[in-house]
Amino acid sequence: MFRDRGAAGEMLVHRLTQLCLAESVVLGVAAGGVAVGYPVARRLGVPLDVVVVHRLRAPDSPHATLGAATEDRIVVGDRPPIDGIRRAHAAIDRQARRFHQRHAPVPLADRTAVVVDDGVMTGATARAACLLARRRGARRVVFAAPVMPIRAIADLSDVADDLPRIVTAPSVPVLSPWYASFPTLDDEDVVDLLDRFDAKLANSS
């Protein structure tokens, strides 16, 4: 069990040993992945950015994940409902604009995108985020998370060049049992983390 997302990030950074730091960027999946990615980017001394991904759920079963949608109109999954995709993309656009009002997106062309989340359940969110990094020009995509299920690792091998993790679990139906403290994070928390990261970067330069 991890103390919290920050502590998980401090542990995860030790698994990221095969990186060219001069060309790497950490992309935290909002919102929990930004909290894990913050200490990863700080320890590695690389830029931190955010990627917005929404899970697409079945209308009659909100706990069932049908896929995921992310920026640039990327959708993955098994026939998710069109209305759900439209709503997700509208919300994604709003969030992405808010996050990047003060924090310009970090270019990914010919760089290594280190996509970080607070865990993997079905792998849909991870797949969407990796595809987004590819579309934006990343030469290499690394997906890192504290805990991943065995099946998702196999499923993600075609979109990620490396899948560093701390725990490989038989299954991960929910993430909260893996953390002693796992509060719900919102857009304000993401903006605050990005602000803090930029402030530390400015103070160190």
Side-chain angles (χ1 to χ4, degrees):
M1 180 182 288
F2 311 109
R3 188 179 73 244
D4 55 25
R5 292 180 178 93
E10 296 283 358
M11 296 172 64
L12 187 61
V13 73
H14 297 292
R15 305 299 173 98
L16 295 163
T17 57
Q18 304 297 316
L19 294 176
C20 175
L21 299 182
E23 60 181 35
S24 296
V25 179
V26 168
L27 295 175
V29 178
V34 181
V36 179
Y38 176 92
V40 172
R42 183 170 52 83
R43 291 286 187 187
L44 294 177
V46 303
L48 173 67
D49 203 353
V50 57
V51 57
V52 183
V53 184
H54 282 210
R55 277 184 290 173
L56 300 172
R57 304 179 188 277
D60 55 348
S61 181
H63 296 293
T65 299
L66 297 179
T70 186
E71 301 169 60
D72 294 0
R73 296 298 187 265
I74 292 173
V75 178
V76 302
D78 183 19
R79 299 180 183 177
I82 297 299
D83 286 347
I85 293 172
R86 290 197 186 105
R87 287 193 298 272
H89 278 145
I92 288 165
D93 290 345
R94 287 194 299 270
Q95 284 181 286
R97 284 195 300 270
R98 183 175 188 187
F99 295 152
H100 290 128
Q101 277 180 342
R102 296 198 301 266
H103 309 276
V106 180
L108 297 181
D110 296 322
R111 303 182 80 169
T112 296
V114 184
V115 183
V116 177
D117 207 350
D118 52 9
V120 176
M121 292 183 289
T122 67
T125 297
R127 172 171 289 275
C130 290
L131 289 173
L132 178 63
R134 293 279 189 202
R135 180 173 292 184
R136 292 186 172 176
R139 181 173 53 81
R140 185 167 182 256
V141 176
V142 174
F143 182 85
V147 57
M148 300 185 201
I150 294 171
R151 180 177 178 179
I153 292 167
D155 290 345
L156 293 171
S157 61
D158 63 326
V159 292
D161 298 293
D162 194 12
L163 292 156
R165 59 214 177 260
I166 301 167
V167 177
T168 302
S171 65
V172 184
V174 291
L175 290 178
S176 55
W178 292 93
Y179 290 85
S181 175
F182 194 71
T184 299
L185 302 180
D186 58 21
D187 291 356
E188 288 295 333
D189 295 306
V190 172
V191 172
D192 179 63
L193 285 164
L194 294 173
D195 285 344
R196 285 165 49 197
F197 187 86
D198 285 355
K200 286 184 178 294
L201 194 64
N203 291 334
S204 63
S205 60

